[in-house]
Amino acid sequence: MLNAKKEKKEKLFQKDKYYLNRYLLKYLFKLHIYMSKNVIIGIYDYSSPPIKSYKGGIYAFLKSLRHHNKDCEVVIVCQKKNESKALIKTLNEYNAYTYNYDIKSVNQKSGGDREFKLYCRFKFISDFLETKNYNNIMLCDMNDIVFQGDPFSIEFSTEIYCSCELHFFKNRNRHAKMNIEWMIPYYNETYEEIRERFMDKQVVCAGTILGTQAGIQKFLDWYIDVQTDNLYALNDQGLYNVYIHHVCDSKEIVPYRYSKFLPIVNHHKLTNYGKDEQGYVLNDHNERYLLIHMYGAFGFGYADGIEYIKNLTCEKIP
């Protein structure tokens, strides 16, 4: 009799334990979904997507990132038809996944396919974020970026952390000229009038944008509104500079010599920068640049510059 009661009690206990575990699993699953985390999102959308391109490609991007950050989500925006077996294999290896967009969901005016994808990529990213909850978000190019550290280790108190290029709008060179010309269709003003508006401001790069979810979504909403009115015919970097310098009221703009992000151009020399014992490139605070964008430079010639940075940040990593 006692054994029967004990057995019945044990069965009830196991049943309660089963339902408790099921409840806890459901709770933890929901907690995981809604828990704040970080994400990197970019477009990598080619008919025959190269895994290793002459700029490094998605391979150099992911391998160098995962050496420093194994946990953040990585989302590649592309059309379903461009998901090659090699691409999916690489994404699986480095814990990344794709988000497919419907290209017919946007009215197209811009002439080339490349420009169209660039100008409306932020619309597709906004669609992806619609039901997501993240702490910090980084929007970035993925074909010519490598990492020297964890980009989410950057501490900032604003909504947007900007990546500055080397040039000011007041400079009389082709880089400043190009960025000013990209804004002419938005302002419908002359070159000199726009230059005067931005005279002492530094060019910020639309290829690397870090921010809080609220800050990123504010930018995306503004960007989509402007592009919708213009059928996605305006240059993305031109609009990003308009937003940062004349619309956004919560941003951190750090000169590239002191920033944690380094966007470079072909004439810039590696000898301008310090290096630590491992060869990583340092800013003027003797801190590693956590991210290097457009790294085929450093005065070596394009190919040699790429090889230096790839070997430093990617190929030497097991």
Side-chain angles (χ1 to χ4, degrees):
M1 187 72 175
L2 286 173
N3 285 338
K5 285 184 177 180
K6 188 176 180 181
E7 200 173 300
K8 185 177 181 181
K9 189 175 181 181
E10 178 64 23
K11 284 183 179 179
L12 289 172
F13 172 76
Q14 292 298 333
K15 187 176 181 181
D16 289 343
K17 186 178 177 181
Y18 168 77
Y19 284 111
L20 177 62
N21 285 339
R22 282 190 62 183
Y23 171 80
L24 287 173
L25 284 173
K26 285 183 179 180
Y27 174 78
L28 289 171
F29 179 71
K30 289 181 179 179
L31 183 65
H32 173 73
I33 291 175
Y34 293 106
M35 185 170 54
S36 293
K37 48 190 178 291
N38 301 319
V39 65
I40 297 176
I41 315 174
I43 191 166
Y44 203 77
D45 197 18
Y46 305 93
S47 57
S48 298
I51 305 307
K52 295 183 181 182
S53 75
Y54 74 97
K55 295 181 179 180
I58 195 70
Y59 164 79
F61 180 95
L62 288 173
K63 188 171 184 182
S64 60
L65 170 68
R66 288 308 187 201
H67 184 64
H68 302 287
N69 184 317
K70 300 186 186 308
D71 300 321
C72 70
E73 284 189 35
V74 180
V75 182
I76 284 77
V77 178
C78 72
Q79 296 178 81
K80 182 69 177 177
K81 66 179 182 179
N82 290 335
E83 289 183 346
S84 70
K85 289 182 179 179
L87 177 63
I88 296 302
K89 180 181 177 182
T90 302
L91 299 187
N92 288 339
E93 182 179 355
Y94 293 107
N95 191 24
Y97 62 95
T98 60
Y99 170 74
N100 303 135
Y101 64 88
D102 180 8
I103 203 164
K104 296 178 182 177
S105 66
V106 180
N107 292 323
Q108 180 178 358
K109 181 179 179 181
S110 52
D113 184 57
R114 176 183 176 276
E115 288 78 10
F116 174 55
K117 288 178 182 178
L118 279 176
Y119 300 171
C120 61
R121 60 177 167 166
F122 291 133
K123 193 264 187 216
F124 304 139
I125 289 171
S126 180
D127 292 343
F128 169 80
L129 291 172
E130 191 68 32
T131 58
K132 305 293 182 179
N133 180 32
Y134 294 105
N135 185 13
N136 291 323
I137 298 170
M138 190 168 78
L139 314 180
C140 66
D141 297 345
M142 292 182 162
N143 193 34
D144 57 356
I145 283 178
V146 286
F147 296 88
Q148 296 193 135
D150 177 7
F152 295 111
S153 67
I154 295 175
E155 296 181 0
F156 61 100
S157 57
T158 55
E159 292 185 341
I160 300 285
Y161 181 90
C162 300
S163 174
C164 291
E165 296 190 3
L166 281 61
H167 307 283
F168 289 83
F169 287 97
K170 65 183 177 183
N171 297 148
R172 294 288 189 182
N173 58 41
R174 66 184 179 89
H175 301 287
K177 181 175 183 293
M178 181 170 55
N179 278 274
I180 291 172
E181 288 176 343
W182 283 335
M183 293 187 283
I184 289 176
Y186 175 81
Y187 284 110
N188 196 26
E189 295 176 351
T190 67
Y191 177 93
E192 289 300 330
E193 286 173 327
I194 295 173
R195 181 171 178 266
E196 188 64 32
R197 278 178 177 267
F198 289 83
M199 180 64 73
D200 294 319
K201 293 179 169 54
Q202 197 162 1
V203 176
V204 291
C205 179
T208 312
I209 305 171
L210 176 64
T212 64
Q213 175 140 7
I216 293 295
Q217 198 61 62
K218 285 180 186 178
F219 163 63
L220 294 175
D221 290 345
W222 177 87
Y223 182 90
I224 291 166
D225 285 344
V226 173
Q227 286 285 34
T228 300
D229 291 341
N230 291 275
L231 296 181
Y232 287 84
L234 303 183
N235 179 275
D236 57 340
Q237 171 135 329
L239 285 184
Y240 181 59
N241 273 275
V242 172
Y243 180 79
I244 289 300
H245 291 303
H246 285 178
V247 178
C248 181
D249 58 3
S250 179
K251 71 268 186 174
E252 184 171 348
I253 303 176
V254 182
Y256 74 93
R257 298 292 311 205
Y258 304 98
S259 174
K260 295 294 184 72
F261 290 167
L262 177 61
I264 55 182
V265 291
N266 290 353
H267 69 271
H268 219 56
K269 296 182 183 299
L270 182 61
T271 51
N272 293 345
Y273 299 90
K275 290 185 285 184
D276 64 15
E277 294 177 352
Q278 295 176 279
Y280 286 108
V281 183
L282 305 176
N283 64 20
D284 282 7
H285 288 313
N286 286 319
E287 301 167 325
R288 281 185 196 176
Y289 285 107
L290 301 180
L291 175 155
I292 299 177
H293 184 201
M294 301 180 290
Y295 52 92
F298 290 135
F300 290 114
Y302 200 74
D304 291 338
I306 286 177
E307 287 308 308
Y308 176 85
I309 298 299
K310 279 199 299 185
N311 288 335
L312 176 65
T313 60
C314 189
E315 300 301 345
K316 78 169 189 177
I317 297 171

